[in-house]
Amino acid sequence: MRSHHPHVGAVLAVVLEPLGTHDRSPFVLEPCGPARTDAEAVAARVAGRHRAYDVALDDAPDLPQDGMPAAGRFGRYLLRLSPLGPARPGGPLTGDLLADLPAPAAAGTLAVSGEQRALLAAAVGARGGPGRFVEQIHWDWTGPLDLARFTTSWQSVAEREAVLRASFDWAGTPRLVLHDSAAVEVVRHAHTDVGRDDLLRRERARGFEPYRPGLLRVSLLGRPPDTGGAGHPPTRLLVTYHRALLDEHGARLLVRRFYRSYLAGGVLPGAARRPGIRDHAHWPARRDPAAARELWAAAAPPAGAAVGPGRAGGPPRPAGGTGRIRRRLGPPQTARLRSWAGGRGAGESSALHMVWALLLYRAAATGGMLPVAFGVHLSGRDMALRDGAAVPGLLGGPLPMTVTVDPAAPLADLLLRVRDVALDLSACAGVCADQVREWSGRAPGSRLTETTVRFDSHPRLPANLRARLAAQGIRAGAPRSARGATALPLTLAAHHDAEDALVLEALYDRARFTGTDACGVLAQCVRLLRGLPDHPDGGFTVGDALRLPGTSQVPAMTPPQPAGTGPAPEVLRAGEPGADLVCLVTVPGVTPGAYGALLHGYGGPERIVSLTVTGGRVPPAALRELLGDGRRLTVCGAGPAGRVAHEIARRAAERTGDAPAVVMTGVGGAESARALSRALAAVRARGA
């Protein structure tokens, strides 16, 4: 059984009339959509959000649409925008306005957090494939399972949790789009069709299309019946979600809400969650960033900090995905570590942070005092927003921790220093790495750390829910994480299992570490954690702790591969002799396949070329090549490429005095391709 939900809202294309480039000039946009209501929605959105413009919507004469199927035909509407306030540098088409012009109708939008922005940029930039940005939790359900009730229970949660009705839009400023409705996909598989591990891999490889709502789906895998006993065979449940939308804590909160809905017959009692992601998005916007700016101006990692857990070396290796290694401290060892740290005024997480600082120092192979830096993942759930910790979403993210390691200092002093720095960071959970770079004077896009340490505290299923499930003959196991990829060379994740043992998992980039070297890093970490409680003496120094790994070698770490550059204009279709020129602009974030679908479905006579722009700057040579053959030029930009397309047209007008037509559309795949086809047909018909 499958429940599926199509994309909500039509993706529009907008044609910018070639009216010149003067900042005070009015400009006319032509929304090409299947209905007038789409154009009216654009006009209302622009008028409501952009008060610096006078907005008017008029019907335009129909153009010939010969050869276009009925489903692809469009109406013509002219949207006239006249700037009312002072002129803005670079023309009137601002990034925020650009995001609103081709966007589908939605219930509302929210600004994304800093960590969401970073994850979304990586995901839509197609780095590492769609499965790289997927997280999963899975567990066993034993007892009766009503599939219809199961599906409606998840749908009831979606009706009350805005996060399950959300998608992303990154045509301009990245934002979260909240839809009025969305369905949670629920699919049941037979054990004869797919195995457990294969299902995990398959669901991860499917990935998600971030511009579509429904960024969480549920799979059920039937297990073979137990022929030796009676009752219901267990069912493996798998929840797969996009990591830019949710963290594991938030996913587990949604599972808890699902259980309440299932126990209530498939309808979750109560109204929509408050506070929800809307409240959380507005909360940090009301805070004064002055204190965080002052902290990070001094606390960002210095240029000479040790950040790598291995010595530089080894030949370059092709990217091979993410490797995973798990180690476990048994319950007695975990209790000893907790007691050792607690006796010195700190917790297990501080002990883990301190050990990681020791390993970074050891890998640097230097003497004397040295600052080390690594990312510490903050949940963002200890905010001063009432009941804010219960909001499902991605509320926190990693921030760099910098401490100075002195081999001559007492180890207890380093432990307390790490603890205090973590407490300082907890007040900055809403800060993102881009802000840290800006406030500390670091170059945009520079990497602050090479590793991240996260210590997860997973919410347990309340005893009353477990009792109510048991009363219906249902036993639900504890969810387990099937972690996704790491964006850094290495991420160390820690949590307590059901037996209160400390579980450590290293996720490493196979292009930077071999399996042997990654095992070496984790083994030395575990050896230190196990060995610390054996040295309760107050005179135990940092240098003494550095000798605990013994003669174990520092693992090797391959240097990163240099980044490549984008190509010059490339001919995709030769076109008819003397036909106009269409340039498809590609920037990071253009949905893969959008332009390919356009080429497949568009039958116009134009010569079509592509131009890849990196860093937001259009190469002058590429611009000269586009304008060199005398053809009439139309510049197309899907999603974030729309702004670059407008910049190309503006610069072309400065050179030639004749502004090319600009066609922009929102983010999407086939939807964007269809919208571009309609707009190109409108440009061609108008020219004829």
Side-chain angles (χ1 to χ4, degrees), residues 340-355:
W340 178 86
R344 287 152 181 79
E348 292 167 274
S349 60
S350 294
L352 181 60
H353 294 155
M354 182 193 68
V355 163

Side-chain angles (χ1 to χ4, degrees), residues 218-543:
V218 184
S219 303
L220 300 89
L221 178 61
R223 303 277 290 277
D226 183 1
T227 56
H232 301 271
T235 299
R236 172 59 54 92
L237 303 185
L238 172 64
V239 173
T240 304
Y241 55 94
H242 199 290
R243 63 190 300 188
L245 183 75
L246 286 167
D247 58 12
E248 185 176 342
H249 191 107
R252 289 172 179 254
L253 290 174
L254 292 174
V255 170
R256 183 186 298 183
R257 295 272 278 174
F258 156 75
Y259 281 134
R260 295 188 187 280
S261 182
Y262 190 88
L263 289 169
V267 178
L268 186 63
R273 173 185 292 280
R274 293 298 305 270
I277 56 173
R278 290 184 180 89
D279 305 282
H280 175 265
H282 297 149
W283 178 77
R286 296 192 295 266
R287 302 181 66 195
D288 185 357
R293 184 184 296 110
E294 181 179 356
L295 170 68
W296 287 109
V307 295
R311 57 177 173 80
R317 290 186 293 270
T322 298
R324 297 170 181 81
I325 306 169
R326 291 170 65 95
R327 296 291 184 269
R328 182 175 184 265
L329 272 69
Q333 295 169 323
T334 302
R336 290 182 68 227
L337 178 65
R338 183 182 299 129
S339 177
W340 178 86
R344 287 152 181 79
E348 292 167 274
S349 60
S350 294
L352 181 60
H353 294 155
M354 182 193 68
V355 163
W356 200 249
L358 292 174
L359 291 177
L360 295 181
Y361 180 90
R362 187 171 184 263
T366 186
M369 299 171 59
L370 180 69
V372 303
F374 56 95
V376 173
H377 195 277
L378 305 175
S379 71
R381 299 184 182 276
D382 50 358
M383 70 190 81
L385 175 66
R386 185 177 180 181
D387 296 329
V391 175
L394 186 68
L395 309 189
L399 284 175
M401 170 185 283
T402 304
V403 293
T404 298
V405 178
D406 181 2
L411 185 67
D413 289 355
L414 179 60
L415 177 67
L416 295 180
R417 178 58 181 157
V418 166
R419 179 204 64 183
D420 292 344
V421 173
L423 289 174
D424 290 340
L425 294 183
S426 65
C428 302
V431 173
C432 66
D434 286 342
Q435 290 173 304
V436 173
R437 295 184 188 96
E438 177 186 352
W439 295 337
S440 61
R442 300 288 288 270
S446 61
R447 178 165 284 182
L448 300 172
T449 61
E450 291 278 321
T451 64
T452 290
V453 178
R454 55 182 303 159
F455 203 111
D456 295 326
S457 176
H458 297 152
R460 304 286 179 89
L461 198 63
N464 66 329
L465 271 183
R466 292 199 303 269
R468 291 173 62 193
L469 288 168
Q472 296 192 19
I474 300 169
R475 186 174 72 253
R480 295 184 57 188
S481 171
R483 297 188 186 275
T486 175
L488 295 173
L490 192 145
T491 295
L492 179 66
H495 72 276
H496 292 109
D497 64 14
E499 298 178 350
D500 203 28
L502 183 62
V503 179
L504 302 173
E505 185 173 14
L507 285 76
Y508 63 94
D509 185 350
R510 295 182 189 274
R512 305 293 302 279
F513 285 98
T514 65
T516 301
D517 288 324
C519 282
V521 173
L522 189 55
Q524 292 176 22
C525 178
V526 171
R527 187 176 302 174
L528 281 166
L529 291 172
R530 287 174 174 167
L532 291 177
D534 295 332
H535 301 277
D537 184 9
F540 195 68
T541 68
V542 171

Side-chain angles (χ1 to χ4, degrees), residues 44 84 170 181 341 405 498 501 520 578 624 648 665 684:
L84 299 175
W170 57 95
S181 63
V405 178
R624 287 194 298 269
I648 291 174
T665 188
R684 185 176 74 247

Side-chain angles (χ1 to χ4, degrees), residues 137-215:
I137 54 175
H138 57 95
W139 68 100
D140 282 343
W141 170 300
T142 305
L145 193 155
D146 184 331
L147 184 58
R149 180 172 154 197
F150 186 99
T151 303
T152 56
S153 296
W154 271 110
Q155 192 57 41
S156 181
V157 175
E159 292 168 0
R160 288 159 177 77
E161 296 284 2
V163 71
L164 290 181
R165 305 191 307 275
S167 64
F168 290 99
D169 180 21
W170 57 95
T173 303
R175 56 192 181 174
L176 202 64
V177 182
L178 305 181
H179 300 263
D180 292 325
S181 63
V184 177
E185 180 184 294
V186 177
V187 181
R188 187 168 195 171
H189 304 270
H191 73 274
T192 54
D193 296 333
V194 63
R196 182 190 66 180
D197 293 340
D198 288 340
L199 180 61
L200 282 167
R201 286 191 292 268
R202 191 164 77 183
E203 286 299 303
R204 181 183 300 281
R206 279 182 63 189
F208 290 95
E209 295 174 321
Y211 59 88
R212 296 181 183 273
L215 299 179

